[in-house]
């Protein structure tokens, strides 16, 4: 599936992903207003009228207020998505009604995927009767558990498969950009994968072209860092600050991380003094201009293998074909390594 990526996954990207045979998600983000989401849903319907509609919601903001719950239910009622995805954290219960976000989705006939970064959150999601889990490893691009709380995707996925999700599918998210990533996820016992960063570097993705180019220019996994620096800056002036332990980003190293990484107390001091407005203003301007040397360029640890911006359709098709080729070669590789094919 294509990840719901706020500011990146609109109707066109979701449609192209679906046309290539995967589930393409539209990101509802914080769902603070419905207008921009409506536009993306319309674009999706125009491009892929018969494909299943899939929408991803960010939990802490969407389900933090009764208005958020209302907007969520309005989207379900009007657009009838086939699948919804929840994240950060995935499971919420509305105090005034006692219903969970999963119950509400099921009431509107949508299947539910929960993206989790720990076994504990996976258990909570399974207990809430989700239809599938996404194991988000700390290799993943974008928000996720702080480095010290998260795990590698491969170990998390194995634990979820063994301990939590015997009866429901588990997908792996984090660092997957080619057929090798897909084949390794299948070998782990996963039922599929999530592509985030690879589809961010696509023609249909929303967002600044300069930031997409930065993804192509990144040389290797060494270019990526999981850090709280960006959230610390952004949270200072945001009306919906990311809460702990999700206030951490997989992103490209840049001037901002070079300056502040390992100096969080000083950064906090700087933000609480008069310089706060300057730092936040510079940061916001950089975001608007697509200046990836100052603003965060969200991406996962697989970014070094991305060498071009292509259509999402071609990306998904090629990754699928590549993974099939690798899986077909596996038996011979295994036999060769075991010596059985040696004469
Ligand atoms: C630019 C960007 C924005 C993201 N926004 C969201 C989001 O709005 N909701 C969400 O559930 N996950 C979001 N994610 C995380 C993805 O769901 C997924 O876990 C991640 O992209 C997988 O790792 P990869 O980028 O290495 O493929 C985002 C990731 C990126 C790169």
């Amino acid at each position: 599936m294509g990840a719901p990526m706020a500011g990146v996954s609109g109707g066109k990207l979701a449609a192209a992903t679906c046309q290539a045979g995967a589930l393409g998600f539209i990101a509802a983000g914080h769902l603070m207003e419905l207008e921009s989401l409506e536009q993306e849903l319309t674009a999706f319907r125009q491009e892929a009228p018969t494909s299943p509609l899939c929408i991803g919601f960010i939990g802490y903001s969407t389900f933090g207020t009764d208005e958020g719950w209302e907007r969520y239910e309005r989207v379900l009622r009007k657009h009838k998505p086939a699948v919804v995805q929840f994240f950060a954290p995935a499971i919420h219960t509305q105090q005034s009604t006692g219903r969970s976000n999963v119950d509400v989705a099921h009431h509107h006939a949508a299947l539910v995927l929960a993206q989790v970064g720990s076994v504990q959150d996976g258990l909570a999601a399974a207990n809430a009767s989700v239809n599938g889990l996404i194991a988000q490893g700390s290799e993943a691009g974008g928000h996720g558990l702080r480095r010290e709380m998260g795990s590698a995707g491969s170990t998390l996925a194995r634990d979820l498969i063994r301990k939590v999700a015997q009866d429901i599918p588990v997908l792996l998210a984090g660092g997957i950009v080619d057929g090798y990533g897909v084949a390794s996820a299948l070998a782990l016992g996963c039922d599929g994968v999530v592509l985030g960063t690879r589809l961010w570097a696509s023609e249909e993705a929303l967002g600044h072209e300069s930031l997409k180019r930065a993804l192509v220019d990144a040389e290797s996994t060494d270019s990526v860092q999981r850090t709280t620096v960006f959230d610390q800056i952004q949270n200072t002036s945001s009306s919906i600050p990311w809460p702990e332990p999700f206030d951490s980003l997989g992103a490209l190293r840049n001037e901002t991380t070079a300056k502040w990484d390992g100096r969080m107390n000083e950064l906090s001091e700087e933000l609480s003094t008069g310089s706060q407005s300057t730092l936040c203003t510079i940061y916001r301007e950089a975001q608007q201009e697509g200046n990836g040397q100052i603003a965060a360029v969200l991406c996962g640890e697989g970014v070094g293998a991305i060498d071009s911006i292509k259509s999402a359709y071609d990306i998904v098709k090629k990754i699928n074909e590549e993974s099939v080729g690798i899986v077909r070669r596996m038996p011979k590789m295994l036999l060769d390594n075991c010596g059985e094919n040696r004469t």
Side-chain angles (χ1 to χ4, degrees), residues 3-8 27 29 56-58 85-87 115 134 136 139-143 173-177 194-198 200 242 250 298-302:
M5 294 177 277
V8 168
F57 298 89
I58 295 176
Q85 180 264 28
F86 303 132
F87 164 67
Q115 175 160 257
I134 299 169
Q136 188 193 41
E139 310 93 321
H143 281 99
I176 297 170
V177 291
V194 177
L195 299 176
T197 303
R198 186 60 195 93
W200 172 198
W242 277 83
L298 275 54
C299 74
E301 292 181 5

Side-chain angles (χ1 to χ4, degrees), residues 54-130:
C54 306
I55 308 178
F57 298 89
I58 295 176
Y60 83 90
S61 44
T62 306
F63 304 112
T65 62
D66 277 343
E67 296 86 66
W69 281 89
E70 262 170 46
R71 284 192 288 269
Y72 163 62
E73 201 157 2
R74 220 179 309 157
V75 171
L76 297 184
R77 203 178 301 121
K78 181 169 172 195
H79 296 286
K80 303 183 177 28
V83 189
V84 297
Q85 180 264 28
F86 303 132
F87 164 67
I91 307 305
H92 292 261
T93 301
Q94 187 177 23
Q95 296 224 317
S96 52
T97 64
R99 300 174 309 170
S100 76
N101 49 350
V102 181
D103 296 338
V104 176
H106 285 164
H107 176 74
H108 289 276
L111 295 173
V112 177
L113 289 174
Q115 175 160 257
V116 298
S118 66
V119 172
Q120 191 184 336
D121 282 356
L123 276 169
N127 288 337
S129 302
V130 299

Side-chain angles (χ1 to χ4, degrees), residues 44 96 164 194 218 256 266 302 307:
F44 177 83
S96 52
V164 180
V194 177
T256 302
E266 287 163 77
D307 58 5

Side-chain angles (χ1 to χ4, degrees), residues 81-229:
V83 189
V84 297
Q85 180 264 28
F86 303 132
F87 164 67
I91 307 305
H92 292 261
T93 301
Q94 187 177 23
Q95 296 224 317
S96 52
T97 64
R99 300 174 309 170
S100 76
N101 49 350
V102 181
D103 296 338
V104 176
H106 285 164
H107 176 74
H108 289 276
L111 295 173
V112 177
L113 289 174
Q115 175 160 257
V116 298
S118 66
V119 172
Q120 191 184 336
D121 282 356
L123 276 169
N127 288 337
S129 302
V130 299
N131 304 98
L133 292 176
I134 299 169
Q136 188 193 41
S138 52
E139 310 93 321
H143 281 99
L145 289 182
R146 288 180 175 204
R147 170 69 78 189
E148 63 273 22
M149 314 255 320
S151 318
S154 53
T155 46
L156 175 62
R158 282 300 312 145
D159 271 356
L160 289 175
I161 292 165
R162 280 190 302 125
K163 299 186 177 165
V164 180
Q166 284 90 2
D167 303 329
I168 54 173
V170 174
L171 310 186
L172 182 59
I176 297 170
V177 291
D178 57 19
Y180 290 88
V182 177
S184 62
L186 295 178
L188 285 169
C190 292
D191 300 277
V193 301
V194 177
L195 299 176
T197 303
R198 186 60 195 93
L199 290 176
W200 172 198
S202 71
E203 288 162 6
E204 294 86 350
L206 302 170
H208 269 281
E209 289 306 311
S210 56
L211 302 186
K212 292 187 196 175
R213 283 254 43 105
L215 299 176
V216 175
D217 293 343
E219 290 194 345
S220 72
T221 191
D222 293 359
S223 313
V224 185
Q225 189 171 2
R226 177 151 290 281
T227 175
T228 52
V229 164

Side-chain angles (χ1 to χ4, degrees), residues 29-44:
H30 299 300
L31 201 64
M32 297 312 277
E33 40 89 18
L34 288 177
E35 206 176 308
S36 55
L37 177 61
E38 291 282 347
Q39 281 169 9
E40 297 307 329
L41 294 169
T42 304
F44 177 83

